Amino acid sequence: MIPIWKWFAVIIIVGVLAGGILVPLNPGITSVLPFSHVVGTKIQLEIDGYNTRFDRAQKIEVWLVYNADYAILSKEVTVLNAQKLLATFALPEALPSEEMVTDLNLLINSDIDGAFVRPAAIAISQKTANADLGREAWSENKIQNLYELSSYRFPFRNILIETIRNTYFHVPLWFSMIILFGMSSFYSYKYIKKPDVGVDQKIYSLVSVGVLYGILGTLTGAVWAKFTWGAYWSWDVKQNMTAVCLLMYFAYFLLRNSIEDPDRRARVSAAYNIFSFIAMIPLLFIIPRLTDSLHPGNGGNPALGGEDLDHRMRMIFYPAILGWTLLGLWIADLEYRILRLKHKMAYDG
Amino acid sequence: MAVAARQSYRYPKSLLKDISLLVSKEFRIDLRSRGAIGGILLYIFSTVFVVYTGFVRLQVEVWNVQFWIIVLFASVQAVYKSLALDSGSRQIYLYTLFDPYAVILSKLIYNALWIFLICVLTFVALSFFTIQPVKFFVHFLGSVFLGSFGFSVVFTFVAAIAYRATQQTSLMSILGFPLILPVLLVLIKLSSEALGLIQDSAVWSDYAMLAGTVMLLVALCIILFPSIWRD
């Protein structure tokens, strides 16, 4: 009978693939033109939407938002087609602050698409500051009655757009790799305590699958980087660190190949495995946080915390980690059984 | 073997005695055979000379990285030589007489001293041939001190592993360089602060992190060494 965890692996992975690829994205704004404006003018913005249905909306409001208290409502909104909008604004004579130039967010509130924002959509400059006048003009209308979409959708992020789906492939692969390497270190510790050929085979198969996942994680990351950062390899700190970790574990295989005696080979490679796992921890987690990095969740703040991962995505993300880990364990299990059979054939047959 | 190894972890004072005995033994061996010391000295000076002829004018950032790279390669050589000097029969003799913890601690301390010397020599050579950009000397000394321990731990461990394998030196480099990177990156950051290249308010946390990493690796090395070293 097929063990139940293998069924879990298949069901979760299929579910993650289906959800990850089929769920549509939230409506969003891809471009707002022109970008720079001056206070006191009447401006017309051309807005391009993504996944929007402007032509079917009964009521569309477009706001230019300075912050929660200060925003101006558009005078006129013209719908060109389902994804294009023209919004006319009469900019007040002053900004509600002393700054000479500032970015404004664009908020679209539509009854059929819900409310969505493009941060830092346009820039406004002023020659003389008159904060009091600005504050009065900007608080004329208050943002209220924001519509909400009831369907299940993924968040829309400016640079990512559709590639946000890669979160279910790239990140769980790395998590699973670390879990697999952790398990191999645990088995290495057990091996050193009590040498046993079976344990050594388990270590070998776990490290093999871990390295496979590392390579896949690097490839998925490179493809993602090409679309979002512009190049397959940007010499980002975390990219470099993961390359080094893969080097460490490639060296593990090299080490195994260079020692003939099977007992000493197993013992020495187990010790190296533990050492490199512990050395990997600061590389992957501590050093990227010290420096500026393109990766989300580094350069100061962790990625799994509140703001970085939307709760709708978390519902699929956490099972994805479990699913990929179980799949990896399945592959490792097969590898282990092959090794065991080879060993039996060599020594008994 | 009729003589049983001394279990010096039961008697801490005898552990210290053993370690100092072993370290002084290594000193005496090295002083007697000038080959090892001479080799390292020559290596450092010729590398620095090559750097000088290649760059002529060294910018401070490049000086920083060059310093650590030269120290890195010289340490690999030094650690390899110090382990290679112990021939097979001498190893068995050591193993029967001394507790493996004493052996590994003595090797770590001895290699750390060697690498510290290498750092000093590299600094002297680089300053002689190119520039001397160190602004905060105590800072630099601190990073060199921690760095010697870090390099010593990783390379002693790797040398112990690679010692009896087939292609020794190349294996040592392949195994050692990825493992040394966490230490090396923080070291380069700390020494660039000492050279006045970057300003960082969190210097002490960097030091703490480096010290923590080194201590962790030392603990691991000590724990894992007996199982590697058994023949």
Side-chain angles (χ1 to χ4, degrees):
Chain A
M1 274 297 0
I2 303 177
I4 194 165
W5 59 272
K6 293 188 182 172
W7 280 111
F8 269 145
V10 173
I11 293 172
I12 294 176
I13 292 275
V14 169
V16 164
L17 280 173
I21 295 185
L22 294 176
V23 170
L25 235 53
N26 226 6
I29 305 166
T30 51
S31 95
V32 178
L33 294 170
F35 182 70
S36 318
H37 303 277
V38 183
V39 284
T41 54
K42 196 156 180 263
I43 61 174
Q44 189 181 65
L45 295 174
E46 191 181 309
I47 304 170
D48 284 327
Y50 184 86
N51 253 358
T52 50
R53 290 167 296 174
F54 292 137
D55 51 349
R56 278 191 269 162
Q58 299 292 330
K59 181 168 182 291
I60 305 183
E61 288 174 352
V62 184
W63 295 82
L64 280 175
V65 182
Y66 178 77
N67 62 26
D69 300 316
Y70 303 120
I72 50 172
L73 180 57
S74 53
K75 287 270 175 287
E76 200 190 316
V77 173
T78 327
V79 175
L80 295 178
N81 61 37
Q83 275 98 35
K84 244 180 161 53
L85 210 55
L86 283 175
T88 326
F89 290 87
L91 294 178
E93 291 297 325
L95 289 171
S97 78
E98 304 287 336
E99 299 160 312
M100 288 296 115
V101 66
T102 187
D103 286 334
L104 295 177
N105 307 332
L106 190 83
L107 168 72
I108 296 184
N109 190 15
S110 149
D111 60 341
I112 203 170
D113 286 326
F116 43 99
V117 178
R118 182 175 176 85
I122 66 170
I124 294 198
S125 56
Q126 59 180 356
K127 289 243 164 57
T128 50
N130 190 343
D132 297 317
L133 176 65
R135 276 194 269 270
E136 219 186 284
W138 282 75
S139 47
E140 225 182 281
N141 296 322
K142 284 262 186 250
I143 304 175
Q144 54 198 347
N145 296 333
L146 287 175
Y147 295 100
E148 240 185 73
L149 258 188
S150 54
S151 52
Y152 179 73
R153 285 164 181 250
F154 291 153
F156 177 91
R157 294 270 181 270
N158 272 349
I159 304 171
L160 294 175
I161 316 185
E162 291 283 350
T163 63
I164 204 169
R165 301 175 194 283
N166 206 2
T167 323
Y168 300 134
F169 301 97
H170 176 70
V171 188
L173 280 174
W174 286 116
F175 271 88
S176 311
M177 180 193 89
I178 294 170
I179 295 174
L180 289 169
F181 282 155
M183 285 177 68
S184 74
S185 303
F186 174 69
Y187 278 119
S188 301
Y189 165 73
K190 270 178 75 174
Y191 183 87
I192 292 182
K193 281 256 152 163
K194 179 168 180 252
D196 173 37
V197 167
V199 177
D200 180 50
Q201 289 162 345
K202 281 190 190 148
I203 300 171
Y204 183 82
S205 43
L206 281 170
V207 173
S208 313
V209 182
V211 168
L212 172 71
Y213 270 19
I215 296 175
L216 284 177
T218 313
L219 287 175
T220 49
V223 169
W224 205 357
K226 176 73 179 152
F227 279 99
T228 51
W229 304 341
Y232 287 110
W233 194 265
S234 328
W235 296 107
D236 171 57
V237 174
K238 201 149 201 179
Q239 281 182 317
N240 291 337
M241 296 302 107
T242 52
V244 169
C245 290
L246 283 179
L247 273 177
M248 277 195 227
Y249 281 95
F250 286 148
Y252 172 84
F253 291 113
L254 218 74
L255 178 66
R256 281 190 80 102
N257 274 332
S258 65
I259 303 180
E260 295 300 332
D261 176 27
D263 287 325
R264 186 147 34 87
R265 170 172 57 200
R267 203 170 1 106
V268 169
S269 56
Y272 179 77
N273 191 0
I274 299 177
F275 200 84
S276 49
F277 183 71
I278 303 290
M280 191 178 79
I281 304 288
L283 268 190
L284 279 183
F285 296 109
I286 303 182
I287 292 188
R289 270 169 230 246
L290 292 180
T291 60
D292 297 322
S293 170
L294 287 168
H295 263 91
N298 297 306
N301 39 308
L304 287 183
E307 286 177 25
D308 257 348
L309 201 54
D310 183 74
H311 69 274
R312 287 167 292 178
M313 292 199 71
R314 274 193 224 209
M315 273 167 43
I316 306 187
F317 180 66
Y318 291 138
I321 301 179
L322 184 64
W324 284 106
T325 312
L326 288 176
L327 190 70
L329 286 174
W330 190 352
I331 305 176
D333 182 54
L334 287 171
E335 171 88 22
Y336 165 65
R337 278 148 71 184
I338 293 175
L339 286 174
R340 208 172 58 180
L341 283 171
K342 274 198 194 155
H343 184 80
K344 262 205 196 141
M345 276 170 36
Y347 286 94
D348 293 345
Chain B
M1 298 292 158
V3 183
R6 270 214 290 249
Q7 309 238 271
S8 25
Y9 56 82
R10 294 217 182 126
Y11 309 98
K13 203 157 158 223
S14 78
L15 180 71
L16 280 175
K17 229 171 75 174
D18 284 345
I19 295 174
S20 53
L21 241 165
L22 283 167
V23 172
S24 58
K25 160 218 140 213
E26 305 239 18
F27 260 124
R28 258 176 281 150
I29 293 179
D30 262 345
L31 283 174
R32 233 171 273 164
S33 70
R34 308 287 173 73
I37 307 182
I40 299 295
L41 267 173
L42 193 62
Y43 187 88
I44 294 177
F45 277 93
S46 42
T47 324
V48 171
F49 193 73
V50 168
V51 166
Y52 164 66
T53 49
F55 282 99
V56 184
R57 285 212 49 160
L58 217 57
Q59 291 158 320
V60 188
E61 303 88 17
V62 186
W63 191 97
N64 188 18
V65 178
Q66 277 300 130
F67 176 81
W68 285 114
I69 290 184
I70 296 175
V71 167
L72 188 72
F73 282 97
S75 344
V76 172
Q77 297 271 343
V79 172
Y80 176 70
K81 278 207 177 76
S82 83
L83 253 109
L85 278 181
D86 279 342
S87 62
S89 51
R90 215 186 274 170
Q91 292 251 2
I92 300 178
Y93 181 59
L94 268 178
Y95 180 60
T96 53
L97 273 187
F98 291 102
D99 183 16
Y101 292 125
V103 175
I104 182 62
L105 276 170
S106 70
K107 280 198 199 294
L108 283 179
I109 294 174
Y110 184 69
N111 285 332
L113 289 171
W114 243 128
I115 296 178
F116 188 73
L117 179 66
I118 289 175
C119 289
V120 170
L121 286 172
T122 314
F123 175 72
V124 166
L126 268 179
S127 308
F128 183 70
F129 281 106
T130 61
I131 53 177
Q132 202 279 70
V134 174
K135 295 214 170 65
F136 307 105
F137 218 78
V138 177
H139 204 349
F140 190 69
L141 212 62
S143 61
V144 158
F145 182 70
L146 269 178
S148 325
F149 266 105
F151 281 17
S152 160
V153 165
V154 174
F155 288 126
T156 311
F157 182 76
V158 165
I161 285 183
Y163 180 63
R164 228 71 53 75
T166 47
Q167 328 111 358
Q168 294 164 22
T169 30
S170 56
L171 194 65
M172 239 188 97
S173 314
I174 295 173
L175 289 177
F177 287 149
L179 288 175
I180 200 67
L181 262 162
V183 174
L184 189 62
L185 287 176
V186 186
L187 271 176
I188 291 182
K189 182 158 185 262
L190 280 177
S191 60
S192 57
E193 284 163 13
L195 297 180
L197 278 175
I198 60 179
Q199 308 274 359
D200 195 348
S201 52
V203 171
W204 288 113
S205 73
D206 281 340
Y207 266 114
M209 212 183 63
L210 184 60
T213 316
V214 170
M215 278 195 288
L216 187 63
L217 293 177
V218 166
L220 262 183
C221 185
I222 295 175
I223 295 173
L224 294 171
F225 184 73
S227 46
I228 304 172
W229 211 52
R230 254 183 276 143
D231 250 347

